Amino acid sequence: MTVVVGVVVMVAPTVGPVLGGYLTEVVSWKALFLINLLPGLLACLAIWRFVRVDEPDWALLEKIDFLGILYIVAFLGSMQFVLEEGVREQWFESREIVFFSLAALVSGIAMFHRELTIGHPIVDLWAFRNRNFAVGCLFSFILGIGSFTLMYLMPVYLASVKGLNSLQIGQYVMVTGAFQFISAFVAGPLAQRLDSRLILALGLTGFATGSWMNGSLSHESGYWEFFWPQALRGFSLMFCFLPINSLALGSLPPEEVKNASGLYNLMRNLGGAIGLAVANTLMIQLNKEHYAMLRESVTPGSPQAQSLLAALQERLAAAGLPNGESAALKQLYGLVLREAEVLTLNTLFHILGLIFFLALLLTPWVSKTAAAADAGGGH
């Protein structure tokens, strides 16, 4: 069942980038949101009409942990704000950052205390007593960092460095989704026959290698240079999803799986949110550092810089543009900025690859479980 659900889910990252790029180019970016209205409405009506899981128990409304929800919102929201805005606000030099850091600390402590002491917690943290579940959630967190952050970095790279439009970017990044789709038919049968820890190790290694390969590209790299790292990452993702589901949920008692699966999925989304926030922070910081490093080499006394500047002036003069020297300096400045961004993004790709290589060290901490296909709806 997990494989079937996974295959359906993989259609979106395969078709979505190209369709989204086409709509953006031909209609407007607003169409990306409006196109969801009709399918969303039809899905809601179909669920209302055909899905019969169980009857509602309205008495459960009296047991909802509203205070716990408030603590979770305050904790996660404050932490997200600090991570995203900290670098722009000079971190703790800003009163806002100090305030929200304290808010995250206080609400986090309050959340953990409440969820561990009340009878009907909104998030059952006691599931972490199971070592497989705890390590599986950590794997899910890492997978969220990798998949969401790369989903963000690749379009940035292709737009800023390669100068591609939305449709072209979609054609590049659809490779990951296509190979995710293909790998479902390979990873599913293998998960039934091999140790889930071995499948996971293969998936982490492939994803790490694909990320590391992406960090060796430049603005001159063509479609096929971008193709193979994405293909490897996409093919490896299902090798990560299936065994992580099995390891995290396969050893829990049946009555705990429903609550635990929600917490498990939350960890992946939390990893994605924190990964994006940290990536944004590092992009700003690393861009400044790489630009400063490159600027030291582009000086009036540098033969290479003078040669490039002369070539730019000659090209602009041949094109009949006035103020050739000023325009050449602007172009040179733009080239330095572009190369600084290439170095920054390559560094981030390498960091992500290193995180997944290090995640391999966690695999001995989990115990063998049943086949991944039995691990229900964690996907």
Side-chain angles (χ1 to χ4, degrees):
M1 179 58 71
T2 304
V3 176
V4 175
V5 174
V7 169
V8 174
V9 171
M10 291 307 114
V11 172
T14 306
V15 179
V18 178
L19 178 60
Y22 175 79
L23 290 173
T24 302
E25 285 297 307
V26 176
V27 187
S28 165
W29 62 268
K30 298 177 183 178
L32 300 179
F33 301 92
L34 298 176
I35 196 175
N36 292 300
L37 292 178
L38 182 58
L41 179 60
L42 293 175
C44 290
L45 292 174
I47 292 171
W48 181 271
R49 177 67 181 84
F50 299 110
V51 177
R52 292 289 182 270
V53 179
D54 52 24
E55 294 300 320
D57 184 359
W58 300 109
L60 292 176
L61 289 174
E62 300 175 3
K63 299 179 181 179
I64 293 179
D65 180 20
F66 289 106
L67 189 57
I69 294 173
L70 179 62
Y71 287 150
I72 292 172
V73 170
F75 170 58
L76 296 180
S78 298
M79 183 173 62
Q80 183 79 5
F81 179 84
V82 170
L83 289 172
E84 287 190 353
E85 301 299 327
V87 68
R88 297 186 183 93
E89 301 293 335
Q90 301 300 313
W91 293 104
F92 296 108
E93 294 180 15
S94 165
R95 292 182 178 179
E96 283 185 335
I97 297 299
V98 172
F99 171 80
F100 282 104
S101 297
L102 291 174
L105 178 63
V106 173
S107 58
I109 293 172
M111 178 200 73
F112 279 102
H113 178 266
R114 182 169 180 82
E115 299 308 298
L116 290 171
T117 55
I118 67 172
H120 300 280
I122 193 69
V123 178
D124 185 10
L125 298 177
W126 288 110
F128 284 110
R129 289 177 298 183
N130 183 296
R131 188 177 68 183
N132 264 24
F133 178 72
V135 179
C137 281
L138 183 55
F139 277 126
S140 182
F141 182 85
I142 293 171
L143 195 59
I145 292 176
S147 55
F148 283 93
T149 305
L150 281 163
M151 196 182 302
Y152 165 70
L153 291 179
M154 280 302 300
V156 171
Y157 197 115
L158 294 170
S160 302
V161 176
K162 297 284 291 178
L164 304 181
N165 61 36
S166 300
L167 181 56
Q168 291 170 322
I169 291 172
Q171 292 168 344
Y172 270 72
V173 301
M174 71 171 289
V175 173
T176 302
F179 275 83
Q180 282 180 254
F181 184 86
I182 294 170
S183 71
F185 300 97
V186 180
L190 284 179
Q192 302 292 327
R193 294 173 175 83
L194 300 179
D195 189 330
S196 56
R197 294 168 297 184
L198 175 59
I199 299 292
L200 177 58
L202 291 173
L204 292 173
T205 302
F207 197 96
T209 305
S211 300
W212 194 269
M213 289 168 63
N214 248 124
S216 304
L217 302 178
S218 71
H219 74 280
E220 296 179 342
S221 300
Y223 179 83
W224 291 106
E225 284 83 1
F226 281 90
F227 179 93
W228 293 113
Q230 291 186 97
L232 182 56
R233 285 204 314 271
F235 194 81
S236 302
L237 266 177
M238 191 61 77
F239 284 78
C240 296
F241 275 126
L242 293 180
I244 290 175
N245 288 345
S246 173
L247 294 171
L249 304 174
S251 60
L252 289 173
E255 65 273 9
E256 292 185 16
V257 170
K258 184 181 291 187
N259 262 332
S261 62
L263 188 58
Y264 165 79
N265 287 321
L266 172 65
M267 291 300 294
R268 184 168 66 245
N269 292 331
L270 183 61
I274 292 178
L276 289 174
V278 173
N280 269 320
T281 300
L282 289 176
M283 279 183 68
I284 296 171
Q285 183 177 342
L286 290 173
N287 259 332
K288 291 178 181 178
E289 293 176 2
H290 287 137
Y291 175 75
M293 179 187 68
L294 292 173
R295 187 177 59 182
E296 292 177 1
S297 303
V298 184
T299 61
S302 168
Q304 293 88 351
Q306 289 301 316
S307 175
L308 178 58
L309 190 61
L312 290 173
Q313 289 179 0
E314 183 178 345
R315 187 184 306 169
L316 292 169
L321 295 176
N323 302 321
E325 184 176 356
S326 175
L329 285 171
K330 288 182 179 178
Q331 282 200 358
L332 182 59
Y333 173 70
L335 290 175
V336 173
L337 284 179
R338 185 193 67 192
E339 293 307 309
E341 190 158 15
V342 169
L343 291 172
T344 294
L345 291 166
N346 283 355
T347 300
L348 292 174
F349 286 129
H350 282 156
I351 290 173
L352 288 170
L354 184 60
I355 289 172
F356 275 77
F357 278 126
L358 292 175
L360 287 167
L361 300 176
L362 296 172
T363 51
W365 287 84
V366 292
S367 305
K368 184 177 180 180
T369 61
D374 298 330
H379 194 289

